[in-house]
Amino acid sequence: MSPRETVIIDGKAEAAALRAKVASEARRAAVRPHLAIILVGEDPASHVYVRNKMAAAAEADFRVSLLRLPADVAEARLHREIVARSEAAEIDGILLQLPLPDHLDRRAALSLIAPGKDVDGLTPVNAGLLAQGVAGGFAPCTPLGCVHLAKAAHRSLEGMEALVVGRSELVGRPLAALLLREDCTVTAAHSRSRDLAGLVGRAELLFVAAGVAELVRGSWVREGATVVDVGIHPRVVGGERRLVGDVARGEVLGRAGALTPVPGGVGPMTVAYLLRNLLEAALRR
Ligand code: NAD
């Protein structure tokens, strides 16, 4: 049997289209949403993500203000800054860039964000609404982007066998909840799951957010499956810097029906959904 052609799902194009749609909806509604970003410390990856988010917001003509706090900031100061933004009438959305330095309690900080301004969908209120399957909250941006990319390959996900590898608060767990909302049959795999290869082999829709470079091998993947690769890992190959995902891309090509690339897959969608959630927050206020 000759290998099948694997469709590469173009996350950059999907994200550009979504950003343009959000910007035009904002113009039509005559709102100019204001995003407040809080960045603590000097984590280089976080600085890159914040720059990308600010550039996308500027491109949509949204307002952004950035507060940079030192890595050794006192917890009380961080909490004060979050509460001030939660109460500020001119701010529509708040993004606390993660990870935080070790001495800061992420949950305590996130819970101070007003749920109506929680454009990252990480407060207990919004996570709870998503877990309960209740509409009207904010879902996290990366999982929203993953579902969007799967829908770029399939008009409806209803009834499909979906596997999510990873159960983190930021990606795997909310993604499983969103897929239930799409009427998928959802399996959640994690570091303690037995026979990951066997679980992967059953999935028509495979989402991998394990944070382990090239964890999923091509031979595990079901023929024709749609594969969404959330992982991002910098690698030096032959003296050249590049990014690899949680899926062994070279092995999956010719076997999967569709695959998201790294980079240019989930990453740009995350930023686009931040703008979508921000506009939604501004319109609701
Ligand atoms: P995390 O480390 O918080 O969670 C990883 C999850 O994977 C855990 O639940 C763990 O149980 C599971 N896991 C680990 N090893 C496993 C194994 N061998 N088999 C099965 N499950 C395993 O990571 P995260 O925040 O969810 O991020 C996952 C990946 O996605 C990372 O590479 C991260 O850089 C990337 N990421 C990308 C974006 C984006 O916008 N593209 C956004 C967030 C995260």
Side-chain angles (χ1 to χ4, degrees):
M1 200 172 73
S2 60
R4 69 171 63 236
E5 176 139 3
T6 301
V7 173
I8 303 298
I9 303 171
D10 189 344
K12 263 193 191 157
E14 292 288 335
L18 178 59
R19 291 198 311 269
K21 184 165 164 248
V22 169
S24 97
E25 277 174 21
R27 276 196 303 275
R28 215 170 325 122
V31 296
R32 197 164 169 244
H34 184 172
L35 174 67
I37 301 180
I38 302 176
L39 173 60
V40 185
E42 299 302 331
D43 177 55
S46 293
H47 279 252
V48 173
Y49 296 145
V50 165
R51 241 193 342 263
N52 291 344
K53 289 166 186 176
M54 292 180 74
E59 183 203 63
D61 195 31
F62 290 179
R63 286 171 292 177
V64 195
S65 47
L66 170 64
L67 173 68
R68 287 182 58 173
L69 294 171
D72 62 354
V73 67
E75 188 148 51
R77 163 91 196 278
L78 173 64
H79 289 185
R80 268 200 315 278
E81 298 290 359
I82 296 171
V83 170
R85 284 158 181 74
S86 284
E87 290 171 353
E90 73 279 11
I91 289 173
D92 298 296
I94 300 170
L95 187 144
L96 176 63
Q97 182 65 42
L98 301 174
L100 295 176
D102 288 346
H103 71 286
L104 299 170
D105 179 343
R106 177 180 71 171
R107 282 230 171 77
L110 287 172
S111 68
L112 296 172
I113 296 175
K117 297 185 179 185
D118 174 25
V119 288
D120 244 354
L122 295 175
T123 58
V125 170
N126 285 314
L129 290 171
L130 181 60
Q132 288 179 330
V134 176
F138 289 105
C141 303
T142 299
L144 283 170
C146 292
V147 172
H148 183 117
L149 292 176
K151 283 178 145 179
H154 303 270
R155 195 168 309 145
S156 164
L157 308 183
E158 185 182 329
M160 293 183 84
E161 283 259 11
L163 175 69
V164 179
V165 183
R167 58 175 165 183
S168 73
E169 209 175 313
L170 270 66
V171 189
R173 223 169 261 267
L175 177 53
L178 285 174
L179 290 167
L180 277 177
R181 204 159 84 177
E182 296 293 331
D183 296 319
C184 291
T185 300
V186 182
T187 304
H190 45 80
S191 53
R192 302 295 174 91
S193 295
R194 287 193 307 264
D195 188 21
L196 183 62
L199 295 171
V200 168
R202 288 217 321 261
E204 298 172 274
L205 295 175
L206 172 62
F207 300 85
V208 192
V212 181
E214 302 189 324
L215 170 71
V216 169
R217 311 312 311 187
S219 61
W220 302 0
V221 171
R222 176 170 166 163
E223 287 276 351
T226 293
V227 181
V228 175
D229 188 351
V230 186
I232 312 176
H233 310 272
R235 278 278 179 285
V236 178
V237 180
E240 212 177 286
R241 283 172 60 84
R242 62 184 186 101
L243 294 175
V244 301
D246 284 358
V247 174
R249 174 192 164 91
E251 298 173 9
V252 168
L253 287 173
R255 187 169 176 99
L259 173 67
T260 62
V262 178
V266 175
M269 293 307 300
T270 298
V271 179
Y273 269 98
L274 173 65
L275 299 188
R276 216 287 308 265
N277 278 351
L278 178 64
L279 174 60
E280 184 71 34
L283 292 175
R284 283 185 201 169
R285 266 160 43 80

